[in-house]
Amino acid sequence: MTILVTGGAGFIGSNFVLDWAAQTAEKVITLDALTYAGNRDNLASLAGNERHHFVHGDIADRALLDQLLDTHQPRAIVHFAAESHVDRSIHGPGAFIKTNVEGTFTLLEAARAYWTRLGEDVRSDFRFLHVSTDEVYGSLTPDAPAFTETHPFEPNSPYSASKAASDHLVRAWHHTYGLPVLTTNCSNNYGPFHFPEKLIPLMIVNALAGKPLPVYGDGQQIRDWLYVKDHCSAIRAVLARGRVGETYNVGGWNEKANLDIVRTVCALLDELRPSSEGPYARLITYVKDRPGHDRRYAIDARKIERELGWRPAETFETGIRKTVQWYLDHPAWVARVQSGAYRDWMEKQYA
Ligand code: NAD
Ligand code: DAU
């Protein structure tokens, strides 16, 4: 048995591939375009593993997809590949439309052609699992109930609009063509291999370098946080037992204001790697807010808990401690991802 994972060299995809290789006997084909966010180092521990095969390529390359599907005959596609950073989508939305919308369309068409050709015995077991985000639902007021799977789509950024479009395509390919799809909409992940353009890893690497910790606006925006390994276990549960055509919200029941997240990271660093200059919170700096910044996300994860028996294994306290420790233990990984392109982005976004 084989699965095809797109975007498997990125943050969540690489955690998923590593867990899959450790927990199953199945072969994994990772397809990744290695954009600035893709990093083969993340999968270095699989070097020489015959059950893992890495392919450098684009999900918008139909000929490559046809060849990969025909050659490896996967029983499932788990689709992570995307442009994923909201701030980058504000500076340059084109890449988000190209990969998240057109790329997902191309992947769906290749999957449909492949699935149609499959023999009757395996066709009904095939699955296309689309990994999406809670951001498609828009922003919540402070007292509004958390997002359920039937919450209307109200995307507010080019990123979330492109993901919402991809969710709609996936839904339509099931409704119209019968493609056996599953969709997950997850909240903010954190953990190992998180690229330091996103809030938590950026705060860790900046604090360690004695640089400002940029908090957008008043820092009171709320996100729900889930340790990445718990997202991976949710995806495994949906792939194994999810009802075809259904959407599952995935979240950690951990609503936190950004400022509280930053203060928690600072307190952990004060404990684990104290600075001679004083507490890391001295570096907190309020900067201009993100345009169109969503104020609050919250996930109602009762459906996946009820139907599939999934629960997160980590609390925020255990997960964030593991995460900070991981960054302290991997200085070489941190140094390598801070390339010239990374420095250019930091200059453009924060200067
Ligand atoms: P990431 O940016 O870290 O990784 C994306 C990966 O996709 C990279 O390896 C990149 O090289 C690859 N990629 C980009 N364009 C490609 C293309 N055209 N063809 C092939 N590969 C391509 O993203 P992430 O944070 O790991 O997110 C993975 C998925 O999960 C995304 O679909 C994202 O929308 C979704 N998601 C992320 C979060 C989160 O908190 N990070 C939460 C919910 C959902
Ligand atoms: O909700 C799920 C989404 O979470 C995923 O779909 C996205 O791919 C992922 O990037 C993430 O989006 P966010 O915009 O919530 O994540 P980010 O880490 O960029 O920002 C988290 C919050 O922190 C957000 O309110 C903006 C704020 N922030 C972010 C950065 C990078 C700051 O205050 N300062 C910063 O420098």
Side-chain angles (χ1 to χ4, degrees), residues 6-14 31-39 57-60 79-85 98-100 103 130-134 159 163 184-190 193-195 197-198 225 231:
T6 73
F11 163 46
I12 307 174
S14 60
L31 171 64
D32 198 294
L34 296 178
T35 66
Y36 78 92
N39 185 350
D58 196 313
I59 55 165
H79 178 33
F80 293 95
E83 289 293 336
S84 69
H85 191 30
K98 183 108 192 46
T99 286
N100 302 357
H130 176 58
V131 180
S132 192
T133 170
D134 60 359
Y159 163 69
K163 289 297 289 188
T184 55
N185 291 87
C186 188
S187 59
N188 284 58
N189 286 213
Y190 65 98
F193 304 118
H194 206 180
F195 192 75
E197 64 183 356
K198 309 281 170 68
W225 293 93
H231 188 188

Side-chain angles (χ1 to χ4, degrees), residues 190 225-227 230 252-254 256 312-323:
Y190 65 98
W225 293 93
L226 182 70
Y227 190 62
D230 283 325
W253 302 104
N254 278 312
K256 308 263 183 216
E314 302 290 345
T315 62
F316 185 72
E317 288 66 32
T318 59
I320 193 70
R321 180 173 285 275
K322 283 184 182 177
T323 303

Side-chain angles (χ1 to χ4, degrees), residues 6 12 78-84 100-101 104 128-138 153 155 159-171 182-189 226 231 234-235 238 246-251 299:
T6 73
I12 307 174
V78 184
H79 178 33
F80 293 95
E83 289 293 336
S84 69
N100 302 357
V101 185
T104 300
F128 183 105
L129 192 154
H130 176 58
V131 180
S132 192
T133 170
D134 60 359
E135 300 202 11
V136 299
Y137 299 125
F153 275 27
Y159 163 69
S160 54
S162 69
K163 289 297 289 188
S166 68
D167 290 18
H168 285 317
L169 292 175
V170 170
R171 177 190 158 89
L182 299 154
T183 297
T184 55
N185 291 87
C186 188
S187 59
N188 284 58
N189 286 213
L226 182 70
H231 188 188
I235 291 169
V238 172
E246 291 289 316
T247 288
Y248 293 90
N249 281 358
V250 184
I299 278 278

